[in-house]
């Protein structure tokens, strides 16, 4: 007998079905027991007589006949509420112990580290399962939309050299090159630019980025996912238009209940945003309590540099006076190039930020494609010759015919958190880290074994931070 999914029982009144799934809820009325059986498609009520004792969340197999429920017993809250399955036989495939927290609430009331420790159970709750399914749909939509427009999806290395976006790198020791380390990419920024040099013209990747910076509700610790995108022979206008069309269509298709406040999205200069809203990621919703309003906006005309604030920006350029507002590959406005020598803080950059309901959900820019301008920017941000040497491959690549190019990288987690109105990024990520940097369920990081350290030629001596 073939398995029937819970949701499909609706069309099978009068037929015998084989169901497989989890005991979602159990109501034991003595002789008669009601089981809500849950599988990937939903829930269906099953009714049995004289059933053996069983526990919630056990995995069972049920054979029974689908019956129409009498009018007065129809459950309007259940998709399959018009039917129920009369159990003929029930086999327990896996008995569940007592679960550590309730699974029938939205889960936000439960202590988060406990939810993350048992994430595989936490993901059973309706809200989390729905979030992850919507995430998958959104990513599928993005892929298809971009493929239809001639984009190529290309994976770039995870074990690589530093690709700075202004955060601390994660580093991985090399066994074959003892004493040397790979860095995990803070974004695929350099690779996507190199792919433009290679001639792909339209690239995207659902890319994992790694940044060792302090966590906040809208910033995941450790790793997060971006839709990384780059195009050749485009203007800033082309990048904004394409991104706006992509995200507007995505919302219409995947989140039809949401209303985009203004189309086309408002464009606000960085200066105006600060003056008028006191923020470079203003929340433009008319009513912040309207959970279905999505107020997208573009912030443009950023200064190329800000005054150096961080001591150690980009690994030790402590003497620099200027830090890039976006990153060091962002092009200066063509009318301002001459100011690079005279008054760098006056130079506008071709940066664009995508803002949604008060979150910065993405950033990007038109890139520098002239090696001499890139070298100049390296100088202004205070790179020593040694530091410049780390990016020599970019200057080299730019000697061999580089198209003008630019792109953007909207954060998938952050976009979904904002659209779904979730309080934290962790509500849209399957296995996020805790705020303290421990992975869910497995509690990494762990100590390496003696053998591993020996192979790597590494000795560990931990100095306690005071
Ligand atoms: N690499 C940039 C970031 O991660 C995005 C971009 O400039 O395309 O923010």
């Amino acid at each position: 007998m073939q398995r029937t999914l819970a949701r499909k029982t609706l069309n099978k009144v009068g037929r015998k079905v084989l169901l497989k799934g989890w005991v979602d809820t159990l109501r034991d009325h003595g002789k008669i027991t009601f089981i809500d059986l849950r599988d990937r498609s939903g829930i269906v009520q099953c009714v049995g007589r004289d059933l053996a004792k069983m526990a919630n969340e056990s995995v069972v197999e049920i054979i029974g006949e689908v019956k129409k429920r009498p009018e007065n017993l129809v459950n309007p809250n259940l998709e399959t509420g018009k039917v129920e399955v009369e159990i003929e036989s029930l086999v327990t495939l896996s008995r569940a112990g007592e679960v550590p927290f309730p699974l029938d609430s939205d889960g936000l009331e439960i202590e988060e580290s406990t939810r993350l420790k048992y994430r595989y159970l936490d993901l059973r709750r309706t809200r989390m399962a729905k979030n992850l399914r919507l995430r998958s749909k959104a990513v599928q939509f993005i892929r298809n939309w971009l493929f239809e427009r001639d984009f190529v999806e290309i994976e770039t290395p995870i074990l690589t050299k530093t690709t700075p976006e202004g955060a601390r790198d994660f580093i991985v020791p090399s066994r074959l090159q003892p004493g040397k380390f790979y860095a995990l990419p803070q974004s695929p920024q350099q690779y996507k630019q190199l792919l433009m040099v290679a001639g792909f013209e339209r690239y995207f990747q659902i890319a994992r980025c790694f940044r060792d910076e302090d966590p906040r509700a809208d910033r995941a610790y450790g790793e997060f996912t971006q839709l990384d995108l780059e195009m050749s022979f485009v203007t800033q206008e082309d990048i904004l238009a394409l991104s706006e069309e992509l995200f507007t269509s995505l919302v219409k298709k995947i989140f039809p209940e949401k209303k985009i406040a203004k189309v086309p999205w408002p464009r606000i200069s960085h200066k105006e945003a600060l003056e008028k809203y006191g923020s470079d990621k203003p929340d433009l919703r008319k009513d912040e309590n309207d959970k279905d309003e999505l107020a997208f906006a573009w912030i443009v005309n950023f200064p190329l540099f800000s005054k150096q604030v961080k001591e150690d920006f980009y690994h030790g350029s402590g003497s620099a006076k200027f830090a890039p507002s976006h990153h060091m590959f962002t092009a200066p406005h063509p009318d301002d190039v001459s100011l690079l020598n005279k008054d760098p803080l006056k130079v506008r950059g071709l940066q664009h930020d995508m803002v949604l309901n008060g979150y910065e959900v993405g950033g990007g820019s038109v890139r520098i494609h002239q090696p001499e301008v890139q070298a100049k920017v390296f100088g202004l941000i205070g790179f020593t010759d040694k530091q410049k040497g780390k990016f020599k491959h970019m200057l080299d690549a730019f000697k061999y015919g580089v198209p003008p190019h630019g792109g953007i990288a909207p954060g998938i987690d952050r976009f979904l958190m904002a659209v779904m109105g979730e309080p934290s990024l962790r509500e849209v990520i399957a296995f996020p880290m805790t705020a303290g940097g421990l992975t869910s369920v497995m509690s990494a990081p762990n100590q390496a074994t003696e053998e591993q350290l020996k192979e790597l030629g590494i000795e560990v001596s931990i100095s306690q931070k005071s």
Side-chain angles (χ1 to χ4, degrees):
M1 201 174 182
Q2 273 217 335
R3 179 186 178 200
T4 297
L5 288 174
R7 192 156 50 87
K8 293 278 164 67
T9 52
L10 257 188
N11 322 320
K12 298 219 164 164
V13 174
R15 308 253 295 273
K16 197 177 267 197
V17 291
L18 164 64
L19 302 169
K20 298 185 190 206
W22 286 257
V23 176
D24 190 81
T25 39
L26 200 58
R27 291 179 302 282
D28 195 344
H29 293 292
K31 266 191 124 28
I32 295 192
T33 306
F34 291 91
I35 297 173
D36 283 348
L37 188 83
R38 181 184 76 236
D39 63 21
R40 68 176 195 270
S41 72
I43 283 177
V44 65
Q45 175 170 287
C46 306
V47 199
R49 284 168 194 281
D50 300 321
L51 296 178
K53 275 256 165 292
M54 99 194 72
N56 275 334
E57 295 303 322
S58 295
V59 176
V60 296
E61 192 177 276
I62 288 172
I63 294 177
E65 189 183 324
V66 182
K67 299 247 159 115
K68 211 168 163 219
R69 294 203 210 178
E71 233 11 88
N72 59 337
L73 293 181
V74 165
N75 179 353
N77 301 322
L78 208 59
E79 216 187 320
T80 58
K82 288 193 169 138
V83 298
E84 64 186 11
V85 175
E86 203 170 277
I87 300 174
E88 283 172 22
S89 73
L90 182 150
V91 179
T92 299
L93 301 177
S94 165
R95 170 178 276 284
E98 198 183 327
V99 290
F101 43 63
L103 303 180
D104 58 356
S105 64
D106 69 12
L108 295 171
E109 76 289 0
I110 301 162
E111 213 255 314
E112 199 181 17
S113 59
T114 315
R115 284 179 62 203
L116 294 181
K117 180 170 176 202
Y118 299 99
R119 189 58 151 185
Y120 46 89
L121 295 179
D122 192 52
L123 293 178
R124 289 185 187 177
R125 70 181 72 255
T126 313
R127 183 177 65 89
M128 292 305 290
K130 184 171 159 220
N131 285 1
L132 290 191
R133 286 176 191 282
L134 279 171
R135 181 181 177 124
S136 165
K137 286 216 164 84
V139 170
Q140 185 191 8
F141 181 92
I142 290 171
R143 281 207 162 94
N144 292 342
W145 198 92
L146 291 171
F147 286 143
E148 279 165 20
R149 282 156 187 82
D150 230 11
F151 278 80
V152 189
E153 183 175 15
I154 302 177
E155 289 163 81
T156 53
I158 296 298
L159 292 174
T160 179
K161 204 172 177 176
T162 186
T163 290
E165 295 278 354
R168 212 175 274 113
D169 282 330
F170 282 98
I171 56 171
V172 180
S174 158
R175 180 178 59 84
L176 297 179
Q177 309 284 331
K180 295 200 172 151
F181 296 82
Y182 302 97
L184 306 185
Q186 294 184 33
S187 87
Q189 185 62 37
Q190 296 180 74
Y191 285 112
K192 68 172 168 176
Q193 294 193 237
L194 294 172
L195 288 168
M196 296 301 105
V197 178
F200 285 96
E201 293 196 27
R202 294 187 147 213
Y203 141 95
F204 83 95
Q205 177 178 195
I206 307 296
R208 204 60 74 79
C209 304
F210 304 88
R211 300 185 190 176
D212 186 358
E213 54 192 347
D214 295 333
R216 295 189 312 231
D218 66 343
R219 192 160 76 189
Y221 176 73
E223 52 186 283
F224 62 93
T225 307
Q226 288 182 338
L227 161 60
D228 194 44
L229 192 146
E230 196 76 4
M231 293 184 276
S232 292
F233 308 112
V234 288
T235 59
Q236 186 172 50
E237 180 59 42
D238 297 325
I239 302 166
L240 299 194
L242 178 119
S243 315
E244 187 164 329
E245 199 191 330
L246 165 56
F247 280 87
T248 304
S249 340
L250 188 162
V251 167
K252 277 195 190 140
K253 176 82 190 187
I254 311 292
F255 303 98
E257 71 287 5
K258 303 282 170 186
K259 295 202 179 44
I260 299 182
K262 268 200 185 137
V263 183
W265 304 352
R267 293 189 188 178
I268 306 171
S269 75
H270 180 253
K271 187 160 176 271
E272 185 189 343
L274 293 185
E275 283 169 7
K276 202 160 152 190
Y277 306 101
S279 163
D280 58 3
K281 38 181 190 305
D283 190 344
L284 301 176
R285 280 177 291 181
K286 281 179 222 94
D287 175 5
E288 281 174 36
N289 296 319
D290 176 356
K291 63 178 182 39
D292 287 333
E293 184 181 3
L294 299 181
F296 284 99
W298 290 110
I299 311 296
V300 288
N301 273 327
F302 283 79
L304 186 62
F305 298 109
S306 56
K307 280 214 185 83
Q308 175 69 285
V309 276
K310 286 187 214 159
E311 266 281 290
D312 195 25
F313 197 81
Y314 289 150
H315 317 286
S317 44
S319 59
K321 290 203 221 55
F322 311 108
S325 301
H326 182 217
H327 54 55
M328 58 191 175
F329 305 109
T330 298
H333 193 290
D335 296 346
D336 297 353
V337 175
S338 60
L339 287 173
L340 279 174
N341 285 325
K342 284 183 251 153
D343 198 351
L345 287 175
K346 286 237 169 73
V347 178
R348 288 164 296 166
L350 294 180
Q351 173 185 349
H352 35 260
D353 274 6
M354 190 198 234
V355 166
L356 170 59
N357 292 2
Y359 293 109
E360 181 201 320
V361 291
S365 57
V366 173
R367 323 298 182 189
I368 298 168
H369 71 281
Q370 310 88 332
E372 63 288 355
V373 179
Q374 187 65 74
K376 175 89 205 154
V377 168
F378 285 165
L380 285 167
I381 59 179
F383 272 3
T384 58
D385 286 346
K386 194 165 165 224
Q387 285 166 328
K388 280 184 203 158
K390 283 194 180 169
F391 299 96
K392 186 171 166 294
H393 52 272
M394 295 299 279
L395 301 179
D396 283 348
F398 283 9
K399 285 184 202 150
Y400 300 106
V402 49
H405 59 285
I408 189 165
I412 301 272
D413 317 295
R414 210 181 272 177
F415 166 73
L416 290 172
M417 171 184 78
V419 173
M420 296 183 193
E422 288 289 0
S424 130
L425 287 169
R426 294 187 285 275
E427 304 302 328
V428 300
I429 299 174
F431 295 103
M433 287 204 203
T434 66
L438 296 180
T439 65
S440 22
V441 187
M442 303 189 196
S443 296
N446 297 104
Q447 267 138 357
T449 63
E450 285 293 331
E451 288 85 66
Q452 285 171 322
L453 291 175
K454 215 164 141 199
E455 271 184 337
L456 294 165
I458 287 181
E459 271 176 37
V460 179
S461 100
I462 302 293
S463 52
Q464 290 296 332
K465 277 198 204 150
S466 53

